[in-house]
Amino acid sequence: MSRPVPALRAHQRTLMALVAAIAAGEAETVATILAAVTPGGGKSLLPVIAASRLIAAGRVERVVWVVPRDSLRLQAEEAFADPLWRSALGHNLSVRAADNERDPARGLAGYVTTYQAVAAAPDLHRAEARRHRTLLVVDEVHHLPVPGRPGADEPSDEAEAGAWSRAMLPLMEAAALKLFLSGTLERADGRRILGLPYHPPAPGRGPELDLDAPGLAVIGYSRSQALAERAVLPVTFGALDGEASWLEGGRIAGEAPRVGPHRLGAGAVRTTTRPALFTALRTGFARDLLGEAFHATRRLRARRREDLGLAPGETARGLGKLLVVAPDQPSARGYLATLRGWMPAGQGMRDVRLATSSEGDAHAALAAFRLTPEPAILVTVAMAYEGLDAPEVAVVAALTHIRSRPWLEQMLARATRVDPHGGPYDGQRALVFHPDDPLFARFRAELETEQGSGTKPRRERPASAVVPERTRWRDEDPGGITPLESNAIGLRYALLRPRLPEPAAAAPAPEPPSLTERTLRQRLAAAVAAQAVEDEAGLRVPRGGNLAHRYNAVLKRVLGKGRATMTLPELEAALAWLERNRLCDHLHCLDGDARYAWSARQRRGRWQPERVAGR
């Protein structure tokens, strides 16, 4: 049965009108188009729309589509080859997945390559863009930070991203027109994104996009718009609480090395949050959460099989699939063995596949998961979290420690695509099982409140007396812990929906400035103390050392003034600065001061966010 031609979504119609104006010579000043589209909202059709109109009008001769990983090149080819959209848009263009060989397009309308390939042969791609008027499509542009000076102590993943940016910049400059695609316009490290215009920096504020910059056209598509147009599915969260215990190194004689059990759902981010989560994802709790996701998938597939009237052993598209996102490759292999152990041997080998960067058949496993009825379950670390177009994914087991909002939104989007084989829209829903830790709860609350517009300015969040979050950390054990055991103790479901606006309250009486100043100073002191509590163990401060006192000195040196003499705007700016910066990164400001001589030695041992294995 042939698929009906779906209606264009709001952002796709907007791009259609914009490129028509460019083709007609009515928008000649536009040099860059930025499409900020919520994950799962349908970015992959935008390059097809732009290329088909602009090449037909002779405004460009070729399209070059750059993606962040090799597994996405096939999907880009498929977007141009889709017969449904070929008919609907009236185009016959084709592009090819190219390596760094001569003539990468090979007579076609363009080619698809990766950031890594451009970094390996930047002159080749720049020459191609100069030889032909090129529409350059940069997919997931947030992967490209504005390059800084490469340093010897720069983490390898940041060094790689910087190398990509330095190679991509000449290609961007050579292109006739640029189309930037992204589901998020913020980087977890707070750096600016290559090729995008920003407002001049202001004290205490992070980078802010200049959406009115000359030559820039912005197209936005938020999650609320996508839900209204039934372009993405609503999400039900299965939040699993639990307890975890671990051994902690560095204890002095007489202190018990065992810590816990500590609850995952503690309500606020504490010093035990990350170790508890690290332990849970590698012990019994992970098996419990995996079991919930596995049995939910089995129930879904059984119901759909019954609805379709399938005979035993008969396969079909649209039954629903499970995506398991693991914290690291050893855990992924353990999850694979667990899932296969719950099935008959032959079925387990057929229905459950592993896709990690160390697996030689990872790309084949991804393709089979996307395009065929089997496998029904895919276990991965990061290969499939971003850009994977597999609408049959209906259940996600979020067994990952990463709490960066852009990362979580991308993972969530793997299950929110509407499955054309999955029956009516009203009968489909994304189901995401996750640990009920306060960091994930905060992400979910923000998503419910905002429904995720990618072009909104950075939010100001109030300071808190609890330990502030660090959204990502490497896969090594945090603080030298050894996971012991964990177990699940409760599951609750919550449907993601927009929060209704609260009734307008009567305006409060104006607060005296002196009271406002006192409140802001208290919040500032609490924020400094919270960072000190979080960093103390990682910094290995000598006993008796007052880290909060040192952090107050760092803040005073960075901002040039103590909080006792700050004005109201300066206090507000100081709070905003603390929301975006870590005081441990500025301990060098105390160098040369005998009162803080320990800091120059000790800061080498401060806690660092852990690298994500499998990336």
Side-chain angles (χ1 to χ4, degrees):
M1 185 176 65
S2 61
R3 289 184 293 154
V5 178
L8 289 175
R9 299 168 185 174
H11 62 295
Q12 295 163 347
R13 296 193 300 271
T14 301
L15 180 67
M16 182 83 78
L18 176 59
V19 295
I22 295 173
E26 299 169 358
E28 292 184 342
T29 60
V30 174
T32 302
I33 303 171
L34 171 61
V37 179
T38 188
K43 295 192 298 294
S44 60
L45 187 61
L46 299 182
V48 184
I49 292 172
S52 62
R53 294 298 183 265
L54 295 173
I55 291 178
R59 304 297 293 188
V60 300
E61 300 171 333
R62 179 177 286 185
V63 56
V64 175
W65 189 343
V66 188
V67 297
R69 56 179 54 86
D70 188 67
S71 59
L72 301 181
R73 294 193 304 166
L74 176 61
Q75 293 179 201
E77 284 185 307
E78 291 171 352
F80 275 89
D82 189 318
L84 189 69
W85 287 113
R86 278 177 169 254
S87 175
L89 298 175
H91 83 86
N92 61 353
L93 303 180
S94 296
V95 298
R96 67 183 293 268
D99 295 318
N100 288 335
E101 67 264 343
R102 295 182 60 186
D103 188 19
R106 302 293 169 86
L108 300 181
Y111 63 93
V112 188
T113 188
T114 62
Y115 294 148
Q116 296 95 321
V118 174
D123 293 339
L124 181 150
H125 299 282
R126 180 180 56 193
E128 288 292 321
R130 287 177 173 174
R131 188 175 298 118
H132 307 276
R133 291 194 307 277
T134 297
L135 166 65
L136 176 65
V137 180
V138 184
D139 209 344
E140 306 297 354
V141 68
H142 59 272
H143 282 287
L144 301 176
V146 172
R149 294 181 178 179
D153 57 347
E154 189 177 19
S156 60
D157 51 351
E158 294 183 16
E160 183 179 41
W164 293 352
S165 296
R166 284 185 285 273
M168 285 293 298
L169 186 57
L171 182 56
M172 291 181 181
E173 293 171 346
L177 182 67
K178 299 180 287 292
L179 172 59
F180 293 157
L181 309 177
S182 183
T184 177
L185 296 181
E186 291 184 2
R187 287 180 53 84
D189 59 11
R191 296 170 67 179
R192 299 183 177 207
I193 298 171
L194 184 71
L196 298 184
Y198 288 84
H199 289 290
R205 298 189 67 84
E208 292 188 2
L209 279 172
D210 183 1
L211 301 180
D212 299 317
L216 176 68
V218 180
I219 298 172
Y221 192 59
S222 68
R223 178 170 171 79
S224 58
Q225 290 176 290
L227 283 169
E229 292 190 336
R230 295 190 162 200
V232 299
L233 297 173
V235 182
T236 296
F237 287 102
L240 194 65
D241 198 1
E243 294 179 329
S245 301
W246 59 92
L247 296 177
E248 191 170 88
R251 294 298 184 97
I252 65 173
E255 291 183 325
R258 182 186 176 100
V259 177
H262 283 286
R263 287 280 296 271
L264 283 174
V269 184
R270 307 182 186 280
T271 55
T272 57
T273 296
R274 282 189 292 275
L277 183 59
F278 181 91
T279 298
L281 298 179
R282 292 158 177 83
T283 48
F285 175 90
R287 182 185 176 92
D288 295 337
L289 190 148
L290 200 58
E292 295 287 348
F294 174 76
H295 292 296
T297 307
R298 288 188 62 179
R299 291 192 295 270
L300 172 65
R301 290 175 64 86
R303 185 175 73 248
R304 291 189 178 179
R305 290 181 66 86
E306 183 178 354
D307 293 342
L308 292 173
L310 296 179
E314 188 178 357
T315 62
R317 302 292 300 272
L319 298 180
K321 295 188 175 187
L322 167 62
L323 177 67
V324 179
V325 184
D328 51 46
Q329 294 192 29
S331 298
R333 290 189 287 272
Y335 299 165
L336 176 75
T338 297
L339 288 162
R340 286 179 171 173
W342 290 337
M343 302 179 181
Q347 181 184 357
M349 295 298 293
R350 182 186 69 242
D351 278 357
V352 190
R353 297 285 296 275
L354 178 66
T356 63
S357 58
S358 63
E359 297 295 315
D361 65 343
H363 293 301
L366 280 174
F369 186 69
R370 291 181 52 238
L371 303 173
T372 63
E374 298 166 344
I377 303 174
L378 184 72
V379 182
T380 186
V381 177
M383 284 189 71
Y385 95 93
E386 182 180 71
L388 175 71
D389 187 10
E392 290 181 82
V393 173
V395 184
V396 173
L399 288 160
T400 171
H401 57 249
I402 298 177
R403 292 298 179 261
S404 160
R405 174 169 174 167
W407 205 99
L408 290 176
E409 285 180 330
Q410 288 285 352
M411 181 188 67
L412 195 71
R414 298 319 104 208
T416 59
R417 283 165 163 77
V418 181
D419 184 1
H421 305 286
Y425 177 89
D426 291 332
Q428 298 187 44
R429 178 160 294 166
L431 180 56
V432 178
F433 289 93
H434 65 90
D436 196 15
D437 61 275
L439 295 173
F440 201 106
R442 181 182 300 176
F443 157 74
R444 194 177 67 197
E446 290 179 355
L447 210 60
E448 288 172 343
T449 301
E450 300 171 14
Q451 287 297 321
S453 172
T455 57
K456 289 184 178 180
R458 183 184 291 267
R459 304 169 305 281
E460 296 294 338
R461 296 179 297 186
S464 171
V466 300
V467 178
E469 69 174 285
R470 289 297 295 265
T471 55
R472 300 184 67 162
W473 61 92
R474 305 184 195 276
D475 281 326
E476 302 159 9
D477 55 329
I481 73 166
T482 302
L484 288 179
E485 59 185 0
S486 64
N487 61 284
I489 58 176
L491 174 68
R492 60 188 176 90
Y493 289 95
L495 176 64
L496 175 64
R497 55 171 62 88
R499 288 185 179 176
L500 298 176
E502 298 290 338
E511 187 176 68
S514 59
L515 181 58
T516 304
E517 288 180 10
R518 188 180 310 125
T519 301
L520 289 174
R521 290 190 185 106
Q522 290 171 349
R523 289 175 55 194
L524 197 56
V528 171
Q531 287 201 20
V533 170
E534 184 181 42
D535 294 344
E536 191 163 11
L539 282 167
R540 299 190 297 275
V541 179
R543 288 189 172 273
N546 188 336
L547 187 58
H549 174 62
R550 291 167 170 80
Y551 272 13
N552 279 319
V554 170
L555 184 65
K556 181 176 180 179
R557 305 238 176 136
V558 170
L559 301 181
K561 184 183 288 188
R563 60 174 175 264
T565 59
M566 288 183 181
T567 63
L568 279 174
E570 288 170 340
L571 287 167
E572 292 170 348
L575 279 169
W577 186 90
L578 275 178
E579 284 293 307
R580 295 177 173 85
N581 296 274
R582 302 293 303 178
L583 291 166
C584 63
D585 294 330
H586 298 271
L587 282 171
H588 60 273
C589 294
L590 302 182
D591 288 353
D593 191 325
R595 294 171 297 176
Y596 311 109
W598 69 271
S599 63
R601 298 189 304 272
Q602 294 296 117
R603 69 166 180 269
R604 298 190 187 93
R606 68 178 185 272
W607 177 88
Q608 293 285 349
E610 294 186 321
R611 293 186 60 197
V612 182
R615 295 296 301 274

